[in-house]
Amino acid sequence: MERGLAEAGKLLQGLRSSFQSGDVASCQQHLGQLKIRMTQFPALPPLFQKTPTQKEELSLGREVLEYAVLLTVKKEDEAGFERQFLQLKPYYVDTRNSIPPSSREQLITGLNLLRLLVQNRISEFHTELELIPSAQHSSPFIRYAIELEQSLMEGAYQKVLNSRTNLPDQSYAFFVNLLLDTVRDEIAGCSEKAYDFLSLAEAKKMMLLKTDQEVADFAGMRDWDIKNGSIYFRKINEEAISKDIPSHQLITQTLGYARELERIV
Amino acid sequence: MAREVEMADAEKDAAPSATAPATAATVQPEDPEKAALADLTGAVSLIERSVEQKEPRFVTRALRQTAAAKKKITPKVLRNFAHTFPKQLEVGSVLTQALQSEPSSTQADGVPSTKDSVLPEVEIYGYLVGLVFFIDQKKIDVAKTVANLAIKRIQTYNRRTLDSIAARVYFYFSLAYERSNELNTIRATLLGLHRTATLRHDEIGQETLLNLLLRNYLHYNLYEQAEKLRAKTQRPETSSNQQLSRYLYYQGRIQAIQLEYTDAKECLLQALRKAPQSAKGFRIACTKWATIVRLLLGEIPERTTFIQPGLREALKPYFELTNAVRIGNLELFHDAAEKYGAVFQTDKTSNLIVRLRHNVIRTGLRRINLSYSRISLKDVGLKLGLEGTVEDIESIVTKAIRDGGIDATVDHAKGFVQSKETGDIYSTVEPQSAFHSRISFCLNTHNEAVKAMRYPPGSHKGDLETEEKRRERQQQEQDLAKQLAEDDEDEF
């Protein structure tokens, strides 16, 4: 057991240095070996056995998985991130009383919150948020995610876009850039409803498109008309609503009433 | 945490009013200790009778009597009570040993029991009395040992007549661990017990344990696990009202966190309706959550919600919050949120309140939209107290338009919001669909009523009975109704 721990510690050293130097392949290799080692430690979740080296085992396991999570961000692998994070989560939730907190905890939970935002899993976002002690809400990493969610809900999209310039950590860039597409769609959806028309230059600025051609393509995709340098949003046949009689619906409803009345009388 | 406690307190307060006259009549008031002991032994004989006649009603009454006698129990009473158990059983010695630390303890003056055995129900009841006593005395460590031993004994029995007593033991077991802040250590035990209860069709045990487990998870904010457990567990049909209202409260909380506000509101209001008047703590907690959820749905709770007698003080923070949302004033909202931050923190609602900000903005926008036919974006920002650039405000307004919050158009080049004239609603299908939903509601009510009135076939034949028998039956029914009414009142 002791020896296994020492060897794993050595491997972790290797992982640290290759992570620092940004060597993804070597990180991957170290990780693979470490994970095999970790299967032999009985103090790790889900067993949580109280071995004499429990603390060392837990901190080692946690650090390995933290690197695994950060590595997936480097590789821009969303699904992998979710997998690794779920493995790491029990360490954060269940070992709070047995080992001192990790310095990377807030960074990584913040990243996870951001991932849930990008994937538009808002209810899970809030469930995760409840798990974070309120003392940590003021940490820049968590704060960032909370504020981002608020701006998204309110519709303050400019704030979302501006937040790209003051990232709390470089690793956040990956997810925030993914948000860009979501935000553009949102802005487009809102503009359709709120404006009668919009000049091309304004639209380009608002939707963060680079060239006029891109604007034209985007407008084509959304079925907008471009006339005299402005985009005209088609009001989705508002007039028609009152004139169309929903005959099918009316028939089913009336038949339903007839049937029910039959039963009463 | 406070809620369960207050519920237990309410139980204490409510019970004496119903049973006190009865006990006072039978027992001489001269020695309260003797009276308490008499209450306990009375409860024991009730339990014995219940097991003999297979009539669970008596157990309920026994438990109610215990609740009434709870305040009168002293170490001496408990010691004497412990002596009534046969020597072979652990329960007597456990209680006596647990009392060793009591400074005021005197030697028991009762005659040691000569019986060889007692019913398992009575044995567990002995543990229960001890457990309740130690929790009341704030001797949590002792209570925990007693609880553990009791659970161990319960696990060796498989008797349906034991269920309701066992359920009480589970409840106090969990309460003891909650007081010492070690709830997470008993999760596995509770899960095991719940499994056993389900397999044995122990309905009251299932309900109680499910609620305890939900409470356990929610105590640590483990909403995900709680929801998974809740969704995958089948609740027994016949349920006691108080367990049901607890369950609904927990369910409402989970759904509120997961943004299913409509369902959450339904659950919380239902829980509130089912909770008895005396469970004040529970009703306060429920009202708090219901208020927030309704605000998040864009509804404004009536003023009467906050001025109910007894709840007024506790609900003040929520009242101010509601006021801020109603007016749509961000500044007022932030003030209230900050002023009562600590309260919201302990109520675990602070994250929900952060979400409310969005609603405040919406209400404010709606008011502006109604009162101005045209207003510049800059003024909108000023009126709402929104910080940020004109672009921010513009996108907030456009999002509100898209979500159907307000009916307006934005002129980007000139920077103003133009409200739309409200069109003729009778030219749309809107009235028709509103009418339809009302009609289907009425038809539904009618159908339900018809269903409820239906009698099983052939049921009238049994009615042919002699005059004498009928009188007897009526008498019995009256007794039963009276009993049930009492039970309903006091069970909490």
Side-chain angles (χ1 to χ4, degrees):
Chain A
M1 191 73 263
E2 296 278 322
R3 222 185 61 222
L5 203 59
E7 276 172 28
K10 229 176 270 162
L11 276 171
L12 181 60
Q13 282 293 341
L15 176 63
R16 273 193 207 125
S17 57
S18 46
F19 188 84
Q20 291 293 336
S21 58
D23 183 353
V24 176
S26 132
C27 278
Q28 204 66 357
Q29 198 191 350
H30 277 110
L31 258 180
Q33 287 177 7
L34 271 166
K35 284 212 168 164
I36 295 171
R37 291 283 148 97
M38 275 163 61
T39 55
Q40 292 155 5
F41 295 157
L44 302 187
L47 291 170
F48 286 119
Q49 270 177 28
K50 290 203 176 3
T51 55
T53 50
Q54 185 199 19
K55 281 193 179 157
E56 289 80 7
E57 286 176 42
L58 282 175
S59 346
L60 182 118
R62 187 175 65 186
E63 196 173 342
V64 170
L65 286 172
E66 280 174 347
Y67 278 119
V69 170
L70 291 176
L71 198 65
T72 54
V73 179
K74 233 177 207 174
K75 290 196 300 183
E76 313 209 328
D77 174 9
E78 251 182 273
F81 180 91
E82 185 172 357
R83 264 198 319 275
Q84 304 290 355
F85 181 79
L86 286 179
Q87 288 185 48
L88 178 61
K89 203 170 138 191
Y91 289 88
Y92 288 151
V93 180
D94 295 330
T95 64
R96 254 178 213 152
N97 301 325
S98 27
I99 48 174
S102 153
S103 56
R104 280 177 290 262
E105 179 173 344
Q106 280 136 33
L107 166 73
I108 289 178
T109 36
L111 269 175
N112 184 48
L113 288 177
L114 213 56
R115 169 185 70 89
L116 290 171
L117 270 188
V118 170
Q119 299 176 337
N120 206 14
R121 287 150 77 173
I122 305 297
S123 83
E124 281 171 67
F125 174 89
H126 285 289
T127 320
E128 287 292 320
L129 195 62
E130 288 293 325
L131 277 177
I132 300 168
S134 51
Q136 286 185 17
H137 281 202
S138 50
S139 105
F141 301 112
I142 311 287
R143 186 84 254 155
Y144 183 77
I146 295 176
E147 272 170 11
L148 213 54
E149 193 263 353
Q150 254 187 347
S151 313
L152 274 176
M153 287 309 287
E154 267 171 36
Y157 297 121
Q158 287 304 318
K159 267 193 203 156
V160 179
L161 301 174
N162 292 340
S163 71
R164 286 189 304 166
T165 51
N166 51 8
L167 295 172
D169 190 88
Q170 269 318 303
S171 52
Y172 279 54
F174 165 56
F175 285 122
V176 175
N177 284 335
L178 284 180
L179 260 186
L180 196 67
D181 281 334
T182 325
V183 170
R184 185 180 297 137
D185 276 341
E186 284 284 311
I187 295 179
C190 292
S191 309
E192 261 175 3
K193 292 275 161 58
Y195 301 112
D196 292 329
F197 62 89
L198 205 60
S199 76
L200 273 177
E202 288 293 342
K204 188 164 79 179
K205 197 178 126 205
M206 213 181 265
M207 293 171 206
L208 302 161
L209 296 166
K210 289 191 191 73
T211 59
D212 284 353
Q213 187 52 44
E214 272 182 9
V215 181
D217 288 347
F218 195 69
M221 220 161 60
R222 290 219 148 229
D223 214 8
W224 295 336
D225 285 341
I226 301 180
K227 269 184 257 163
N228 325 326
S230 291
I231 299 177
Y232 285 87
F233 302 105
R234 277 193 206 144
K235 291 291 167 192
I236 313 156
N237 36 17
E238 251 173 274
E239 304 291 307
I241 294 171
S242 52
K243 281 170 196 143
D244 266 353
I245 293 172
S247 40
H248 189 71
Q249 197 193 346
L250 264 181
I251 292 169
T252 19
Q253 280 178 10
T254 322
L255 281 177
Y257 299 153
R259 202 174 46 240
E260 294 286 338
L261 276 177
E262 189 95 306
R263 274 209 275 186
I264 295 173
V265 180
Chain B
M1 191 193 288
R3 193 180 60 72
E4 214 60 73
V5 183
E6 278 169 81
M7 245 172 150
D9 284 346
E11 182 180 309
K12 257 191 293 183
D13 297 340
S17 58
T19 44
T23 40
T26 50
V27 182
Q28 294 307 312
E30 86 236 337
D31 185 359
E33 291 195 336
K34 259 190 197 142
L37 190 61
D39 278 353
L40 291 182
T41 44
V44 167
S45 55
L46 266 177
I47 291 172
E48 280 164 354
R49 206 161 108 212
S50 148
V51 176
E52 250 164 54
Q53 301 179 0
K54 296 204 167 49
E55 185 62 88
R57 223 174 55 221
F58 292 128
V59 174
T60 327
R61 210 202 290 175
L63 291 174
R64 207 168 62 220
Q65 263 187 27
T66 323
K70 203 160 85 168
K71 273 187 182 156
K72 289 186 277 179
I73 299 179
T74 59
K76 197 174 153 202
V77 174
L78 196 61
R79 194 180 288 273
N80 285 337
F81 182 58
H83 266 275
T84 59
F85 287 94
K87 287 229 160 52
Q88 296 92 312
L89 281 179
E90 227 181 356
V91 54
S93 53
V94 165
L95 292 184
T96 327
Q97 254 171 35
L99 283 169
Q100 290 297 325
S101 54
E102 287 292 321
S104 64
S105 67
T106 47
Q107 274 309 304
D109 46 12
V111 195
S113 164
T114 48
K115 276 183 284 184
D116 281 346
S117 65
V118 290
L119 287 170
E121 285 79 9
V122 175
E123 184 194 344
I124 302 301
Y125 176 73
Y127 280 113
L128 177 64
V129 171
L131 184 53
V132 173
F133 172 75
F134 290 118
I135 289 180
D136 277 356
Q137 299 285 312
K138 309 245 171 342
K139 296 216 168 11
I140 300 303
D141 285 333
V142 187
K144 274 193 311 202
T145 6
V146 176
N148 284 329
L149 289 168
I151 298 278
K152 223 181 259 166
R153 285 304 286 173
I154 290 174
Q155 279 167 335
T156 61
Y157 293 120
N158 181 10
R159 290 166 69 104
R160 295 289 67 75
T161 39
L162 188 62
D163 288 347
S164 47
I165 304 178
R168 283 292 163 101
V169 174
Y170 300 149
F171 172 79
Y172 285 108
F173 166 66
S174 168
L175 185 63
Y177 276 85
E178 183 171 329
R179 291 279 167 83
S180 63
N181 217 359
E182 293 174 302
L183 267 185
N184 50 354
T185 56
I186 58 164
R187 215 174 280 153
T189 320
L190 289 179
L191 281 167
L193 286 169
H194 183 258
R195 197 171 49 225
T196 319
T198 312
L199 288 175
R200 291 180 180 167
H201 299 287
D202 163 9
E203 283 173 353
I204 180 79
Q206 274 179 61
E207 278 175 333
T208 315
L209 286 164
L210 179 59
N211 280 340
L212 290 176
L213 276 167
L214 288 180
R215 182 179 184 75
N216 200 316
Y217 285 129
L218 293 192
H219 187 78
Y220 294 99
N221 285 344
L222 295 167
Y223 287 92
E224 205 184 331
Q225 280 90 330
E227 172 58 18
K228 279 194 179 135
L229 175 76
R230 195 198 63 74
K232 292 196 167 55
T233 321
Q234 222 171 3
R235 268 178 62 80
E237 287 269 318
T238 53
S239 43
S240 83
N241 242 349
Q242 41 274 68
Q243 294 300 341
L244 182 62
S245 63
R246 280 190 187 130
Y247 176 79
L248 286 169
Y249 167 71
Y250 295 136
Q251 187 182 358
R253 273 180 61 181
I254 297 170
Q255 280 166 337
I257 294 295
Q258 300 192 328
L259 301 140
E260 289 163 29
Y261 300 133
T262 326
D263 296 340
K265 184 188 126 193
E266 201 87 336
C267 282
L268 289 167
L269 290 183
Q270 191 78 354
L272 207 52
R273 251 175 252 142
K274 289 208 186 287
Q277 285 295 315
S278 51
K280 209 168 105 190
F282 180 78
R283 292 194 27 239
I284 291 177
C286 239
T287 318
K288 282 174 177 175
W289 278 82
T291 308
I292 300 269
V293 169
R294 290 184 71 182
L295 287 177
L296 281 167
L297 274 172
E299 297 173 22
I300 305 292
E302 307 80 28
R303 209 186 173 85
T304 45
T305 323
F306 302 103
I307 52 172
Q308 297 172 60
L311 309 188
R312 192 183 192 147
E313 214 28 58
L315 292 178
K316 193 156 175 278
Y318 292 85
F319 176 61
E320 287 192 19
L321 210 60
T322 309
N323 222 5
V325 179
R326 188 174 58 87
I327 301 171
N329 187 329
L330 267 182
E331 214 171 296
L332 215 62
F333 172 74
H334 284 304
D335 283 351
E338 221 159 89
K339 191 166 148 201
Y340 298 108
V343 180
F344 299 140
Q345 203 87 56
T346 44
D347 290 346
K348 298 193 175 179
T349 49
S350 52
N351 280 337
L352 288 173
I353 286 164
V354 173
R355 292 188 217 167
L356 262 182
R357 185 185 136 86
H358 169 62
N359 286 56
V360 180
I361 296 175
R362 275 290 153 84
T363 334
L365 265 180
R366 204 171 302 139
R367 287 167 74 93
I368 292 173
N369 181 44
L370 284 178
S371 31
Y372 295 85
S373 60
R374 177 192 282 193
I375 182 169
S376 78
L377 286 165
K378 212 170 128 200
D379 287 339
V380 172
L382 278 179
K383 280 197 173 296
L384 288 177
L386 265 177
E387 290 159 27
T389 55
V390 175
E391 276 100 51
D392 278 338
I393 293 161
E394 186 173 346
S395 59
I396 289 172
V397 174
T398 53
K399 186 156 193 271
I401 294 173
R402 191 199 57 174
D403 294 348
I406 55 176
D407 203 12
T409 49
V410 180
D411 191 318
H412 181 77
K414 297 190 186 112
F416 62 75
V417 186
Q418 170 104 42
S419 302
K420 270 189 206 154
E421 300 290 319
T422 36
D424 177 17
I425 195 140
Y426 285 98
S427 68
T428 66
V429 287
E430 200 54 45
Q432 196 237 329
S433 63
F435 205 46
H436 172 67
S437 68
R438 285 178 206 185
I439 292 176
S440 41
F441 174 78
C442 289
L443 288 174
N444 249 336
T445 316
H446 174 263
N447 284 344
E448 297 273 314
V450 171
K451 234 187 253 169
M453 282 193 303
R454 201 164 288 161
Y455 294 101
S459 64
H460 62 282
K461 282 178 195 150
D463 244 7
L464 307 167
E465 53 186 351
T466 59
E467 186 63 16
E468 202 177 323
K469 262 190 184 163
R470 201 174 71 196
R471 223 176 289 136
E472 197 180 308
R473 182 176 53 88
Q474 274 173 347
Q475 182 62 39
Q476 267 177 4
E477 268 169 14
Q478 264 174 11
D479 282 352
L480 188 68
K482 219 165 126 194
Q483 278 292 345
L484 284 180
E486 267 179 29
D487 283 1
D488 236 25
E489 258 173 39
D490 300 325
E491 220 178 298
F492 248 91

